[in-house]
Amino acid sequence: MLLMAITLSVSHLWAQQRTITGKVTDDKGAPIPGASVLAKGTNLGTSTSSDGSFSISVPSGTKALIISSIGLGEKEIAITASNDYAVTLSTKAADMTEVVVVAYGTKKKTDLTGSMTTVKGADIENKPFTSVDKALQGAVAGLQSVAASGAPGANQQIRIRGISSITASNAPLWVIDGVPVISGDVSRATTTANILSTLNPNDIESISVLKDAASAAVYGNRAANGVILVTTKKGRAGKTKFKFDMEVGESGTAYVNEDYRPLNAAEYLAISREGLVNAGATQATIDATLAARGGNNNVDYNWEDGVKQTGTQQNYNLSASGGNDKTTFYVSGGYFYQQGTIIKSSLNRYSGNIRVTNKATDKLTINANINGGFVRQNTPLAGGAFGNPVLSSRFVLPTKPAYKPDGSLNFLSPDFRTSDLYNTIAIATMDKRLLKELSLRGNVSGEYTIIKNLVVKSSFGADLTVLEEDQYNNPLYGDGAVYQTTPPSPLFNPGVTYNLSTTGRVQNAYTRWFNWDWTNTISYKGDALKNGDLSYNVTGGIESQELRQYFTTQLGRGFAISPLLYLQYASSTATPTTTTGAISEATFLSYFTIGDINYQDRFILSGSYRRDGSSRFGSNDRWGNFWSVGASWNIDRENFMQSQTLFDQLKLRASYGYVGNAGIGNYDWFPSYSYTSSYNSVPGSVPGNVGNLDLSWEVNKPLNIGLDVSVLKSRLNVSMDWYNRKSEDLLLNVPLSPTSGFATQTQNVGEMENKGIEVTIVATPIRSKDFTWTINFNFAYNKNKVLALPDHNPIIGTFIIKEGLDVQSFYARVYAGADPANGDPLWYTDSTRTKTTNVYTPAQRVPYGSASPKYFGGLTNTLTYKGFSLEFQLNYQYGNLVQDTWASYYLGAGFNAGFNKILRVLDRWQKPGDVTDIPKYIDGGNKSFQSFSTVYLSKGDFIRLRNIQLGYDLPKSLLSKIKIDNASVYVRGVNLWTWVGDKTLGWDPEQGATSQTNLDVLIPKTITFGVNLGF
């Protein structure tokens, strides 16, 4: 009986279905492949085939189909008695009707009241970047994406509409498939890492960047710095379609300043001799010193060439998608490999993605997806670490080669009394700095329609990141070897004795981050008036989130001496020195509501309210209330605009809100004791953190006014925004009196603001049957100002944080050049710059420029002709200064003379009357020229050819014979050309958000060849 009932039910349902077929073309009659076909009021959908045709089974009561295609807008087709339809989509831009992903749902662009930008997956896939955040550079107005390092897998720093906090996080919130996820660098023993490098950009359908209160405030406690929504790809009804992408290539160094190349042997020995003479050394001292520096070696080794490498690149991706009107799926797998521009820098990534959507009943839809990536990353040391190969390329003398005449490694003396450094090429061969990172992100959701337009949804998502970091310093040579005598290694110098308990060292770190998020919502949309002129949409929800962190670290010293260096873990050390383990947890609980009212598609009013509680804040004040209100006026929908033919869209937007920042440590509020100390060999405790029971939310109040204009049948589209985001109750580490026993306390104090303008222009100067030219330009201007600080006292370091100034204002003595009379360095005595002194200390420090750019953006041109396409993107930045942090060593006028120098040193003062900015070269230094001043600041203005691609789509007539739907080949270049506005800028203009160099892996330029197949 049960089987009969099921059979009858299925037959009854089948009888209620009807099959609709048709063909979709543009206004010139050309077929549109890949257009979306959706049965209105259902989740049933398919896409058109290569000839524009489609077939879809829908319930017999379905009233209409919604047809849409990127760049061609959307059209609703009423279903009549016919089962076959011819559909024409006009060339009116999709921007007018496109549905975009917003917080907790989707919305038509015309209904938006806030400021947001959408980046399509096609714009970021197959690009030779290790993470999606790098692909956003220059693509979104107001979003600054910069790297401090060019190492594969390096952390990318993103700032949306400036810097809003001094101590708390300035990074945006990343939400992947509805789940707020962990992002950034969470490594502990690696120079730089990036969780997002485990996410394959080819699995991304779209990215929405939420910038103002109306679009982001519903995320309340974490929305102060903007929100980036990532939606991964999903299947569409129809036959299973496969896609294969392959890309291979090579990379070199993106930016080189010849004035900053290291001196060769002859140049170095000549300047050294001059420096010794200028220092008053005797001839005997000169000869002995030059001999110690390799003057008699007849060697000229280029350390820069020795540590650089031509990197290789490989990228392979295979995906399948399809399904029917009940179930759709998307599954993919990928492999990515990239070598960096410096030895011992590389990344391997293995990734996979599965997404299934099932319409279980007419009312219930179930969605499940899991995305995972495994990364194996090598990154060398940076900064002043002796094992940093970039440092050695400038510091190690060209008279001391990396290899002996027989080709074996030359183990340079580590006796720093003679300023000699290690051979980092040898260290790179013998040591290890390895990161293994696994990330899994998953989400399962169910959506149920209780009655028409009343929908409940429950979504549970989680992401897990596990990092294993192994740092090994061998016992024979380098940082891990502690010698009783020199020279270093018994392997190469058998007479040397060792203290075996301290030779070799290792650090093994294990880190686990687990984050889960459970969201439940109920939504209702309806008409307030019978004629449909006034509609509304409201959503209420509750969201809970928990983050758990687990850390263990083992450190040890003392490996048995072995030339094979097989022993590389803490379990093999003679003296384990440290073993630590810790946990850290944080929880959030939120109640929220979102709503909007639409009157005749002319006036839209939106609002959101969210109440958040967080364990990161003091027990006296854990809850915060966050809200937004937004409005838009579609002027083009007014009756008085209907007779005009110029404007396709004319829209005015405004929003204001109140959002929060919780980007601090999990226990900053908690008064605690530390139990890692002992007294008289007995375990004990000492005060660890002063805490603050009243610690609460940092607040951001963004105001945004925007205008969207589209004219000439959407051939020219302009979006402009003016904003003012004010931060209050800053989460600030406030200095305490030393008598308290604590250095700082996190308090809610201080104010800051960012004001700016953003402009995005999308134009199509030419659009014909065979040729199209599209321009996409974005521009952003931001001005930061600190408004209030505790007791109005500035915070002074390399930067001065002072009321009325930019938060990243450099604080330096102003350099006045070399004295033409005697070559001494000169500094201005005060801000008037009327008097100079050759004594460093009396010169007054003054605010001098900022590390933050005034203007930045991008320009993309796309040209297509028949099967050919050419795309090139420029990104630019203007108005910031870059600090060369280590220049005093390779530019200082004789400071640390035992280290090599750069070519710019040869512009030094040599005789009375010389006008130059490089002082007289004196062995040991010239009057503190090496100390920080404006001579070590350069303008950071640059224009970079970020991406250029030439492609060709093979003819359909040829592909149909071999059963392939589409195929294209292309050649691509990334960072091929860089213009800088200041010849004194020695390193790449991209140096992170603080614009301070740290001798990191050089940013690459890449040339690749790729193939895309669809079948």
Side-chain angles (χ1 to χ4, degrees):
M1 293 295 295
L2 178 61
L3 178 62
M4 182 179 295
I6 294 174
T7 303
L8 290 173
S9 298
V10 171
S11 301
H12 179 67
L13 289 171
W14 181 257
Q16 292 180 326
Q17 299 283 316
R18 62 184 291 192
T19 300
I20 304 296
T21 61
K23 186 172 183 178
V24 182
T25 60
D26 62 19
D27 49 12
K28 294 183 174 62
I32 302 174
S36 173
V37 181
L38 180 68
K40 186 177 181 180
T42 75
N43 289 322
L44 302 177
T46 185
S47 57
T48 58
S49 61
S50 58
D51 63 354
S53 62
F54 68 88
S55 176
I56 182 173
S57 295
V58 300
S60 58
T62 303
K63 302 297 184 182
L65 296 179
I66 298 174
I67 318 291
S68 63
S69 179
I70 296 174
L72 295 172
E74 180 181 283
K75 197 168 190 177
E76 183 173 315
I77 303 297
I79 296 178
T80 60
S82 173
N83 288 327
D84 189 69
Y85 297 86
V87 182
T88 300
L89 294 181
S90 71
T91 54
K92 188 174 183 178
D95 203 46
M96 302 291 290
T97 53
E98 182 183 356
V99 174
V100 295
V101 177
V102 296
Y104 302 101
T106 59
K107 188 177 288 189
K108 286 170 57 175
K109 266 196 172 183
T110 51
D111 293 344
L112 294 176
T113 60
S115 177
M116 65 171 289
T117 301
T118 299
V119 179
K120 297 296 184 182
D123 296 329
I124 61 175
E125 66 182 14
N126 295 320
K127 291 186 177 179
F129 302 129
T130 55
S131 56
V132 61
D133 44 6
K134 291 178 171 58
L136 292 178
Q137 189 177 68
V140 178
L143 184 149
Q144 182 190 14
S145 176
V146 288
S149 170
N155 188 39
Q156 192 83 358
Q157 295 175 319
I158 289 183
R159 301 291 181 263
I160 297 176
R161 294 186 168 181
I163 296 172
S164 66
S165 184
I166 295 175
T167 300
S169 172
N170 282 288
L173 172 68
W174 286 80
V175 179
I176 300 178
D177 290 328
V179 181
V181 299
I182 304 162
S183 62
D185 184 358
V186 297
S187 65
R188 295 185 292 124
T190 304
T191 309
T192 178
N194 187 349
I195 291 180
L196 290 174
S197 66
T198 62
L199 175 65
N200 186 349
N202 277 50
D203 287 331
I204 294 175
E205 180 76 25
S206 68
I207 299 174
S208 296
V209 180
L210 315 183
K211 296 184 282 189
D212 73 329
S215 56
V218 70
Y219 287 102
N221 55 37
R222 293 149 295 175
N225 301 308
V227 181
I228 299 178
L229 306 180
V230 177
T231 303
T232 58
K233 292 179 179 178
K234 59 183 178 181
R236 295 185 178 183
K239 72 173 185 176
T240 299
K241 294 186 176 182
F242 296 90
K243 185 179 180 182
F244 174 73
D245 304 316
M246 179 192 74
E247 185 176 80
V248 295
E250 291 186 344
S251 59
T253 304
Y255 172 72
V256 176
N257 186 337
E258 286 300 323
D259 285 343
Y260 277 71
R261 72 158 174 82
L263 298 179
N264 60 37
E267 292 166 338
Y268 170 74
L269 292 172
I271 197 70
S272 290
R273 180 179 294 276
E274 181 180 315
L276 290 165
V277 171
N278 290 337
T282 65
Q283 188 60 49
T285 300
I286 292 173
D287 293 341
T289 303
L290 292 179
R293 295 175 183 174
N296 302 323
N297 293 349
N298 294 319
V299 170
D300 188 4
Y301 183 76
N302 191 318
W303 281 92
E304 183 178 35
D305 289 346
V307 303
K308 282 185 177 181
Q309 65 182 9
T310 298
T312 59
Q313 177 124 351
Q314 300 177 55
N315 191 10
Y316 307 95
N317 295 283
L318 177 64
S319 66
S321 64
N324 53 35
D325 56 352
K326 293 293 186 182
T327 303
T328 59
F329 71 91
Y330 174 86
V331 59
S332 71
Y335 171 71
F336 179 89
Y337 173 72
Q338 186 181 72
Q339 276 185 316
T341 54
I342 298 296
I343 57 174
K344 214 67 174 182
S345 61
S346 64
L347 178 140
N348 289 268
R349 179 180 65 219
Y350 304 86
S351 62
N353 186 61
I354 299 174
R355 183 164 185 163
V356 178
T357 300
N358 174 253
K359 186 171 177 58
T361 69
D362 288 342
K363 292 188 173 184
L364 177 63
T365 300
I366 300 171
N367 179 80
N369 71 283
I370 185 168
N371 180 288
F374 173 75
V375 161
R376 183 183 176 93
Q377 177 181 336
N378 288 282
T379 304
L381 290 163
F386 297 127
N388 178 4
V390 179
L391 177 144
S392 69
S393 72
R394 294 298 186 276
F395 285 27
V396 181
L397 300 182
T399 57
K400 308 257 178 112
Y403 301 94
K404 296 179 180 179
D406 63 2
S408 62
L409 289 167
N410 182 26
F411 290 84
L412 303 177
S413 169
D415 182 357
F416 298 107
R417 292 171 296 180
T418 62
S419 298
D420 282 345
L421 295 173
Y422 291 119
N423 177 352
T424 52
I425 295 176
I427 292 177
T429 303
M430 303 168 72
D431 285 0
K432 177 173 70 176
R433 295 182 65 83
L434 176 63
L435 166 72
K436 288 181 283 187
E437 184 176 7
L438 172 67
S439 288
L440 296 174
R441 307 171 188 90
N443 175 269
V444 59
S445 66
E447 184 176 299
Y448 185 78
T449 303
I450 301 174
I451 58 175
K452 183 180 180 181
N453 294 331
L454 180 63
V455 179
V456 293
K457 181 177 181 180
S458 182
S459 175
F460 182 85
D463 66 294
L464 170 69
T465 296
V466 176
L467 297 92
E468 297 177 2
E469 298 172 81
D470 298 320
Q471 178 181 338
Y472 164 74
N473 302 119
N474 77 87
L476 302 178
Y477 181 74
D479 294 325
V482 178
Y483 311 106
Q484 291 180 329
T485 59
T486 57
S489 172
L491 185 63
F492 304 97
N493 300 278
V496 176
T497 58
Y498 273 76
N499 180 345
L500 296 182
S501 66
T502 57
T503 53
R505 64 186 181 190
V506 66
Q507 177 179 356
N508 305 130
Y510 175 84
T511 307
R512 183 178 70 230
W513 287 67
F514 179 69
N515 162 59
W516 63 261
D517 181 274
W518 188 18
T519 304
N520 296 277
T521 61
I522 182 168
S523 303
Y524 184 77
K525 60 181 179 180
D527 294 323
L529 299 177
K530 290 184 178 181
N531 61 6
D533 282 351
L534 183 65
S535 61
Y536 59 90
N537 192 344
V538 61
T539 298
I542 180 172
E543 180 176 13
S544 57
Q545 183 181 15
E546 183 177 63
L547 299 95
R548 299 177 180 176
Q549 304 160 41
Y550 177 78
F551 316 96
T552 62
T553 305
Q554 298 83 39
L555 292 89
R557 297 192 68 95
F559 285 100
I561 298 298
S562 167
L564 299 178
L565 304 178
Y566 283 161
L567 306 177
Q568 297 185 355
Y569 289 89
S571 60
S572 301
T573 56
T575 309
T577 58
T578 304
T579 299
T580 62
I583 63 170
S584 183
E585 298 177 339
T587 58
F588 295 86
L589 179 62
S590 309
Y591 306 91
F592 63 89
T593 182
I594 318 167
D596 61 65
I597 300 173
N598 186 319
Y599 179 67
Q600 294 184 341
D601 283 338
R602 293 158 55 202
F603 300 101
I604 294 96
L605 179 67
S606 69
S608 69
Y609 173 80
R610 183 175 180 123
R611 180 165 172 79
D612 280 309
S614 173
S615 65
R616 285 182 175 170
F617 297 112
S619 53
N620 293 340
D621 199 358
R622 283 186 169 159
W623 288 88
N625 300 306
F626 307 102
W627 54 269
S628 72
V629 60
S632 64
W633 178 23
N634 289 309
I635 305 172
D636 57 278
R637 303 293 177 93
E638 296 292 344
N639 290 333
F640 63 81
M641 293 288 290
Q642 300 311 304
S643 61
Q644 60 84 35
T645 59
L646 176 62
F647 291 97
D648 302 297
Q649 183 185 37
L650 183 60
K651 179 178 183 178
L652 185 64
R653 298 176 279 106
S655 68
Y656 182 73
Y658 192 91
V659 293
N661 189 349
I664 56 173
N666 290 340
Y667 306 116
D668 286 4
W669 71 275
F670 188 64
S672 62
Y673 280 83
S674 171
Y675 290 85
T676 59
S677 302
S678 63
Y679 179 76
N680 198 23
S681 301
V682 178
S685 65
V686 296
N689 181 37
V690 66
N692 182 354
L693 299 183
D694 295 319
L695 190 66
S696 191
W697 305 90
E698 180 175 296
V699 174
N700 198 267
K701 299 178 179 179
L703 169 66
N704 189 92
I705 299 174
L707 178 67
D708 301 323
V709 180
S710 179
V711 299
L712 303 175
K713 295 185 178 180
S714 298
R715 297 281 287 271
L716 178 62
N717 304 275
V718 181
S719 180
M720 296 178 288
D721 286 272
W722 173 87
Y723 63 86
N724 182 351
R725 55 190 297 242
K726 186 177 181 180
S727 303
E728 298 178 351
D729 296 328
L730 298 183
L731 290 163
L732 186 64
N733 290 338
V734 178
L736 298 179
S737 169
T739 59
S740 68
F742 299 95
T744 62
Q745 180 188 44
T746 306
Q747 300 178 10
N748 290 108
V749 60
E751 298 180 6
M752 188 190 308
E753 73 173 6
N754 288 273
K755 291 182 179 180
I757 297 171
E758 297 169 357
V759 179
T760 299
I761 300 174
V762 180
T764 308
I766 301 175
R767 183 169 62 204
S768 64
K769 181 179 180 181
D770 294 328
F771 181 69
T772 302
W773 174 24
T774 303
I775 300 172
N776 191 318
F777 171 76
N778 68 77
F779 164 87
Y781 163 77
N782 185 77
K783 182 176 178 58
N784 175 279
K785 182 190 292 186
V786 177
L787 300 179
L789 291 172
D791 299 322
H792 307 289
N793 293 325
I795 302 171
I796 295 176
T798 301
F799 298 110
I800 179 170
I801 303 174
K802 182 179 179 181
E803 293 177 1
L805 297 180
D806 185 291
V807 70
Q808 292 199 134
S809 297
F810 285 104
Y811 195 49
R813 292 170 173 85
V814 181
Y815 184 64
D819 189 334
N822 58 19
D824 283 352
L826 298 175
W827 297 270
Y828 290 108
T829 57
D830 55 41
S831 58
T832 64
R833 302 188 191 181
T834 56
K835 296 181 180 180
T836 60
T837 177
N838 64 354
V839 182
Y840 178 77
T841 305
Q844 182 183 355
R845 295 177 72 184
V846 298
Y848 192 89
S850 171
S852 302
K854 293 181 180 178
Y855 314 104
F856 60 91
L859 170 65
T860 301
N861 283 267
T862 304
L863 300 95
T864 61
Y865 177 71
K866 294 186 176 180
F868 292 94
S869 63
L870 174 65
E871 177 183 295
F872 59 93
Q873 179 196 38
L874 298 168
N875 70 293
Y876 62 91
Q877 185 171 293
Y878 170 80
N880 67 303
L881 298 178
V882 177
Q883 180 192 0
D884 195 340
T885 310
W886 298 97
S888 59
Y889 289 91
Y890 45 75
L891 184 60
F895 175 69
N896 270 85
F899 293 163
N900 197 14
K901 309 302 174 189
I902 61 172
L903 186 63
R904 189 180 167 196
V905 168
L906 301 186
D907 292 332
R908 79 282 184 199
W909 181 96
Q910 292 178 274
K911 63 183 185 304
D914 285 349
V915 178
T916 177
D917 58 350
I918 307 299
K920 181 179 180 180
Y921 192 93
I922 301 175
D923 195 284
N926 189 343
K927 299 185 185 302
S928 298
F929 175 68
Q930 72 276 5
S931 299
F932 176 57
S933 72
T934 59
V935 73
Y936 300 115
L937 296 175
S938 302
K939 293 180 181 179
D941 309 344
F942 75 90
I943 302 173
R944 170 163 279 168
L945 182 58
R946 180 63 167 169
N947 180 70
I948 182 169
Q949 176 179 321
L950 177 63
Y952 177 67
D953 295 331
L954 275 66
K956 300 285 186 181
S957 57
L958 173 63
L959 298 176
S960 61
K961 298 178 182 179
I962 54 177
K963 307 299 182 182
I964 293 179
D965 294 334
N966 54 76
S968 62
V969 295
Y970 64 87
V971 60
R972 185 199 307 274
V974 174
N975 297 338
L976 292 188
W977 171 80
T978 303
W979 172 88
V980 299
D982 190 339
K983 68 177 183 179
T984 70
L985 183 62
W987 300 94
D988 196 286
E990 289 188 53
Q991 293 297 333
T994 61
S995 295
Q996 294 172 296
T997 67
N998 198 35
L999 301 177
D1000 285 284
V1001 174
L1002 307 176
I1003 291 176
K1005 65 177 179 182
T1006 306
I1007 298 178
T1008 56
F1009 171 78
V1011 176
N1012 305 134
L1013 299 176
F1015 50 95

